[in-house]
Amino acid sequence: MDLILSAFEILMRWDVALALLAGSVGGVLIGAIPGVGPAVAIAILLPATFSMDPIVGLTVLLGIYGSSMYGGAIPAILINTPGTAVNALTTYDGYPMTARGEPRRALSLAYSASFYGGVFSVVCLILFAPLLAKVAPLFGSREIFLAALLGIILVVVAHRGQALIAGALAAFGIFIQTIGLEPVKYSQRYTFDQDFLGSGINLIVVVLGLFALSQAFVLLMDEDEKVHLTKLRGGMFQGLRELSRHPRIATVSASFGVLMGMIPGVGEFTAQFMSYTYAQKTSKRPQDFGNGSSEGLIAAETANNAVPAAAMVPLLALGIPGEALTAMMLSVFYVHNVVPGPALFQNRMDFVVALYLALLILNVLVLIFLLMATKSLIKVVKIPNRFLGVCILTLSFVGVYSLRNSATDCVMAAAFGMIGYILKRLSLPAVPIILGMVLGGIMEVKLRAGMARVKEPLDFIDRPVAFILFLIIVIVLVAHTIRVLKDRKERKEAEWQTKTSSTNFGGLMLRRKSSFLKGRGKQVRARHSKLLRRLTDLF
């Protein structure tokens, strides 16, 4: 109880309250605009948060991260266009509700499910915070290195069908991190005698380039789309009553979100599809899924909003981000010399609980705001793409230049913006690059520190937590290899069946064509013989 009271004292400041309000409302607005998303907004705001207190800066970023999915449901339900990538599954059942004249019911249900998922995950993590405080000291340099390595492996294998390119991009991120002064002897690496590379490539420059500038280029290149909005009818509070009729689906979906959020590299998509599949298989009306099922909408929205709070666990407990957004937040910790990891849970537990309480208050603020302001809020969907692109481009370059007052950083950000644009057009992931940069630095430092007491290779995993992490890494790699081989075998079997069926069909068509030609030949010869007899009789 004393811990919660001290956490509330941290939050009871006017600047923290203002940050909560700005983050929650701003996140909803950003999420409601298709094509922007929280990654772009957080990338743009990062330079500004460096001058704030850690709790204020992180509260703003957490507000945007946690509330953007609420806003992303608005265009997903009304115009069948997800506001953020994780709202794609919301369109399956949200838009069919709109098509049959129930947009307000769908929005209200989405808000209620999101609120339940967000509050459920925060309550779970506050209850488990003492347990995390006991487990965190068991992680030394070797354990954190193995955890970071596991994080990169999970991120790579999570890109099913693109694991090879994801691994290459993660390796590229690790290479970028090595440019500049190495952290032990401070010798130059990969600078090629260029002064501007001596201090390395700034993470924020890469983030702004890959996410903000690349998205600006996409918006500027694409044509503006005409949006036709449906009028809202009905009460906005009916979703709360309807959610209470499906407590099992809401609770199981939120549990999936908490579990998947704590695993680096997994995130919202896996939690969503697991909860959606569970809801469909256990539903009395599975045929309604994809056609406006309230259970399907609850499963999708509850799961994705339970992830943000859970994703903070590996970040705070081990200093290991599981995705691009938490990797950006990690830089705010480092700027203010607040190092996430076991020491944070031992020495600053009130700070950790304050962050979770901020997420709890954030969900309440967002729900109240959305229930009251949805009718006015939906107008942001009509903002033209190119106008958004120009705004993002301008704000991004201002943010990059403000880091070190360097025009070179702007050029480098533009270069990474082009790389990000190419990756977007090729439908390739940019997240592994960022996680490679962040986790690569952690791995290098922890590996050097851990190797000081290692005499033989097996000494590296001679402690229980290190051995468990090593075992998990082996299991993940073996399972992924088996899955790849199985997919390849199924693909070959499918290709063989297609080839066989096409060959059989081709042979059948040839036989039919041959018999048809033979029949036509007989008919032609008969006509010629008849014509010859007539000519003979005539002459």
Side-chain angles (χ1 to χ4, degrees):
M1 193 63 185
D2 293 337
L3 190 63
I4 294 176
L5 290 175
S6 60
F8 266 116
E9 288 181 6
I10 295 174
L11 294 177
M12 293 297 104
R13 292 166 35 186
W14 70 268
D15 51 353
V16 177
L18 187 62
L20 263 174
L21 184 62
S24 58
V25 175
V28 170
L29 291 170
I30 289 159
I33 303 172
V36 180
V40 176
I42 290 175
I44 292 172
L45 287 173
L46 266 181
T49 58
F50 291 161
S51 60
M52 305 176 184
D53 286 346
I55 187 65
V56 178
L58 286 169
T59 299
V60 172
L61 300 184
L62 276 174
I64 292 171
Y65 181 24
S67 63
S68 60
M69 297 172 200
Y70 282 87
I74 296 174
I77 290 170
L78 296 181
I79 60 173
N80 203 26
T81 302
T84 68
V86 298
N87 292 110
L89 198 60
T90 307
T91 61
Y92 285 19
D93 294 289
Y95 185 70
M97 285 186 182
T98 299
R100 65 176 184 235
E102 299 176 329
R104 195 179 285 268
R105 176 195 169 207
L107 287 172
S108 177
L109 193 58
Y111 299 158
S112 304
S114 299
F115 175 75
Y116 183 85
V119 171
F120 181 90
S121 63
V122 174
V123 170
C124 285
L125 296 170
I126 289 176
L127 293 176
F128 291 139
L131 177 62
L132 291 171
K134 293 178 181 178
V135 173
L138 299 176
F139 282 77
S141 298
R142 284 176 264 176
E143 287 80 6
I144 292 176
F145 167 79
L146 289 169
L149 179 61
L150 176 62
I152 285 186
I153 291 172
L154 288 171
V155 169
V156 171
V157 301
H159 292 86
R160 189 167 183 175
Q162 294 181 321
L164 187 61
I165 189 65
L169 292 171
F172 177 60
I174 294 173
F175 168 73
I176 292 173
Q177 183 273 329
T178 62
I179 296 174
L181 296 175
E182 57 95 7
V184 177
K185 297 181 179 179
Y186 298 103
S187 57
Q188 297 278 346
R189 293 190 301 194
Y190 306 114
T191 57
F192 305 103
D193 295 327
Q194 300 296 319
D195 294 336
F196 69 93
L197 291 175
S199 57
I201 297 178
N202 194 296
L203 174 65
I204 309 305
V205 172
V206 179
V207 166
L208 280 163
L210 287 177
F211 290 95
L213 290 176
S214 65
Q215 188 61 39
F217 296 154
V218 170
L219 292 171
L220 289 170
M221 294 291 183
D222 292 344
E223 294 183 0
D224 293 332
E225 297 180 1
K226 294 182 179 179
V227 176
H228 301 284
L229 294 175
T230 306
K231 291 184 179 180
L232 301 182
R233 298 185 181 91
M236 286 300 294
F237 292 90
Q238 63 184 15
L240 293 169
R241 295 192 298 271
E242 191 168 358
L243 179 70
S244 64
R245 295 199 290 269
H246 303 284
R248 175 181 55 82
I249 291 175
T251 303
V252 172
S253 300
S255 301
F256 277 129
V258 172
L259 291 173
M260 295 300 106
M262 289 191 290
I263 302 174
V266 179
E268 295 91 351
F269 290 105
T270 306
Q272 274 186 317
F273 282 102
M274 289 178 71
S275 61
Y276 193 85
T277 303
Y278 167 81
Q280 187 173 19
K281 288 184 176 180
T282 58
S283 174
K284 295 179 180 178
R285 296 183 59 84
Q287 67 275 12
D288 291 345
F289 280 69
N291 298 306
S293 169
S294 58
E295 293 173 296
L297 186 58
I298 289 170
E301 283 297 303
T302 305
N304 65 25
N305 276 272
V307 170
M312 296 297 291
V313 171
L315 177 70
L316 295 173
L318 304 174
I320 296 173
E323 57 178 358
L325 298 178
T326 48
M328 296 180 202
M329 293 180 198
L330 185 62
S331 63
V332 180
F333 282 98
Y334 286 153
V335 164
H336 294 286
N337 202 26
V338 178
V339 181
L344 185 65
F345 273 76
Q346 288 178 300
N347 305 325
R348 300 286 304 276
M349 195 61 194
D350 55 344
F351 182 83
V352 174
V353 175
L355 287 177
Y356 284 129
L357 289 176
L359 275 171
L360 187 64
I361 297 168
L362 161 76
N363 281 279
V364 177
L365 289 175
V366 171
L367 183 65
I368 294 171
F369 173 69
L370 284 171
L371 291 176
M372 300 299 178
T374 295
K375 194 171 183 180
S376 303
L377 187 63
I378 60 175
K379 294 178 182 178
V380 301
V381 176
K382 293 186 175 182
I383 297 176
N385 289 345
R386 291 178 179 173
F387 176 76
L388 283 175
V390 171
C391 292
I392 293 171
L393 198 68
T394 305
L395 292 172
S396 298
F397 278 122
V398 169
V400 171
Y401 188 78
S402 65
L403 288 172
R404 296 183 291 195
N405 296 331
S406 171
T408 305
D409 285 346
C410 294
V411 175
M412 294 176 70
F416 280 103
M418 290 305 301
I419 293 173
Y421 176 77
I422 293 169
L423 292 176
K424 286 180 184 292
R425 289 306 190 193
L426 295 176
S427 299
L428 298 177
V431 174
I433 299 177
I434 301 300
L435 293 180
M437 287 188 69
V438 175
L439 296 179
I442 294 171
M443 288 167 62
E444 181 180 8
V445 173
K446 297 302 179 183
L447 179 62
R448 289 190 171 189
M451 290 298 291
R453 297 182 180 179
V454 174
K455 296 181 180 179
E456 297 180 4
L458 291 178
D459 292 344
F460 202 85
I461 55 172
D462 61 354
R463 294 191 293 213
V465 176
F467 180 75
I468 292 171
L469 288 170
F470 175 75
L471 195 61
I472 294 172
I473 290 172
V474 172
I475 291 171
V476 169
L477 290 175
V478 171
H480 178 68
T481 304
I482 292 172
R483 188 176 68 180
V484 169
L485 294 175
K486 185 179 178 181
D487 290 346
R488 185 176 298 177
K489 184 179 178 181
E490 290 176 354
R491 190 165 58 249
K492 286 183 178 179
E493 288 177 355
E495 289 175 357
W496 182 82
Q497 289 176 359
T498 304
K499 185 177 180 181
T500 304
S501 61
S502 64
T503 303
N504 292 339
F505 179 74
L508 178 63
M509 291 303 294
L510 283 172
R511 288 194 294 271
R512 287 184 176 180
K513 185 176 181 180
S514 178
S515 62
F516 172 76
L517 290 175
K518 286 180 181 178
R520 289 290 294 172
K522 290 179 180 178
Q523 291 177 4
V524 170
R525 285 194 297 272
R527 286 178 182 176
H528 285 174
S529 300
K530 191 175 182 180
L531 182 60
L532 284 172
R533 282 197 302 271
R534 286 183 178 180
L535 288 172
T536 303
D537 294 341
L538 182 63
F539 291 101

